[in-house]
Structures are given as C-alpha cells and as structure tokens.
Amino acid sequence: VKALYIIGFFGLVLNLCLESIDPADVQADGKWFWNYILVMALIGCQTVLMPLQIYNARKLVRKRRTSSLSDTASGNRRNSELDLLLDSEVGREYFKSHLVNELSIENYFFWRDVNAWKEEGCSAEGAKYIYDVYIANNSTLEINISGVMHNDIEKKIKLNQIEPSIFDEAYKTIVVLMETNAFPRFKKSSLYKQWSGTEGSDPNLNMGAALPESI
C-alpha cells in the first residue's frame, strides 16, 4: 500500500511536470498520451503488488498462529477463556463434569498431570506414569495425538531420555483440542450457566465413577 502511494505521488509530480511543459495544451494529444501511460503504470503496479501483499498477510497470520501455539506449549499463554476457567477451582469441576458427559475426561487429566509433573520436578517415574496412563497404546486414558508424536514420546521413555519438554507437543495438542472442541460446547451447556451463577461456591457436583488421582 505504501509503495502504491509513493508511485502515485511520483506519478502526479510527473503529470504536473508534463502539463507545465505544455500549459496551453498545444500538444493535447501528447498530454493525454502521457496520462494514459501513467494510469496504465499504476494499474500494472497494483496488479504486481497485490499478490505480494496477500502473501505477506497470510505469512503474518501463520506466524501469529504458530507463536500462539508455541506459547500454549511453553505455558506462557494465560489469557484465553479456557485458561481463566481452569484457573478457577469451581470452574474446573464444572468443566470436568462436561468432559465426563462428552467422554473426553482424559484430556483434562492429562493436562492436570503434566502440570503437576512439571511442578514436582519432572521425575522419570512421573513421566513413565503419564506415558502408561495417557500415551501407550490401549492405555487407561489414552489421548488423541498423532502417531509421530506418540512414537517420539515412546522412544524417549524406552531410552530413558526424560526431559522437561518430553510432553510439550502432546500438551499443546490437548490444550488446543479442549479449547476448540470441548470448551465451545461447554459454553452452550447448562453446566456453564450453573457455573456462571455459582462461581465462588462449592458446586458439589456428582462426578459419577471414581476418577484417577493426580501424580
């Protein structure tokens, strides 16, 4: 856009210069010829620059999206509605009830246990527990992650290459999954309305079957 303004400005200056050379329009045909050249030049520049502008805009969107997902994985992203919900003890209980109803409670427990594991020092024993419960094939609360991600974690666990970032990609995937799938439906549910009206009190919800303890 700035480039078009610059070209337009110089085009206007050129046009004024051409008119000043022939102020009496003695060579009117010649003047109109130069105006035609100027207009076509501007159209040509617009045609060339527009795809470049679209490409740069898409690149910026992808960069922001990648940055947002990276922040989620590293724990720096703390401004979303889901984050605010999960920061509330009462809110977590209502959201857990919703996930039980949707048969996707494993996502919440994985999120919870990875956070607890990091807070407690990222022990090898804790990492193996998370792998056995959430990652291993046919595990008790197996989460939905890609095969590549699963194999990478499995390899590191078997080689005892335990590092604080071992679950980061899976954690990011599950947070995004909760935020884009379960949470929007939760906001439309009666549980969300109940939470909105009872925030700060004990909801005393019936969570159904016994749920696994955290690490």
Side-chain angles (χ1 to χ4, degrees), residues 25 35 46 66 68 91 128 143 169 185 187 214:
D25 287 344
N35 284 338
Q46 174 79 12
T66 301
S68 175
K128 292 176 181 177
I143 58 174
E169 289 300 316
R185 290 192 291 270
K187 290 179 67 176
S214 60

Side-chain angles (χ1 to χ4, degrees), residues 8-46:
F9 173 76
F10 282 108
L12 178 61
V13 171
L14 176 61
N15 190 50
L16 291 175
C17 290
L18 292 173
E19 289 188 0
S20 65
I21 294 175
D22 185 24
D25 287 344
V26 176
Q27 299 177 352
D29 291 342
K31 189 180 78 169
W32 283 111
F33 172 77
W34 283 108
N35 284 338
Y36 173 78
I37 293 295
L38 174 62
V39 171
M40 294 305 296
L42 289 174
I43 293 175
C45 290
Q46 174 79 12

Side-chain angles (χ1 to χ4, degrees), residues 71-102:
D71 287 344
T72 298
S74 62
N76 295 328
R77 184 169 173 269
R78 302 298 304 162
N79 297 318
S80 74
E81 289 185 86
L82 178 61
D83 290 328
L84 296 176
L85 173 72
L86 294 176
D87 282 341
S88 163
E89 182 177 356
V90 177
R92 288 195 298 271
E93 293 303 311
Y94 277 95
F95 189 52
K96 282 160 63 179
S97 290
H98 173 74
L99 293 177
V100 168
N101 293 336
E102 288 205 334

Side-chain angles (χ1 to χ4, degrees), residues 2 10 24 33 42 55 62-63 67-68 72 76 85 87 95 104 109 125 171 176 179 187 196-197 204:
K2 291 181 179 179
F10 282 108
F33 172 77
L42 289 174
Y55 170 77
R62 286 196 298 268
K63 182 178 180 181
S67 176
S68 175
T72 298
N76 295 328
L85 173 72
D87 282 341
F95 189 52
S104 58
F109 284 118
E125 182 181 357
Y171 182 93
V176 171
E179 189 168 42
K187 290 179 67 176
S196 300
N204 193 26

Side-chain angles (χ1 to χ4, degrees), residues 197-211:
T198 61
E199 174 65 339
S201 63
D202 183 2
N204 193 26
L205 296 176
N206 179 12
M207 295 299 293
L211 298 172

Side-chain angles (χ1 to χ4, degrees), residues 14 25 28-30 33 37-38 50 94 105 107 111 116 135 144 146 148-149 159 177-178 180 191 212-213:
L14 176 61
D25 287 344
D29 291 342
F33 172 77
I37 293 295
L38 174 62
M50 186 175 293
Y94 277 95
I105 188 62
N107 294 330
W111 169 87
I135 308 296
N144 184 19
S146 70
V148 173
M149 205 176 297
L159 295 177
L177 189 63
M178 289 194 296
T180 57
L191 285 170
E213 297 294 332

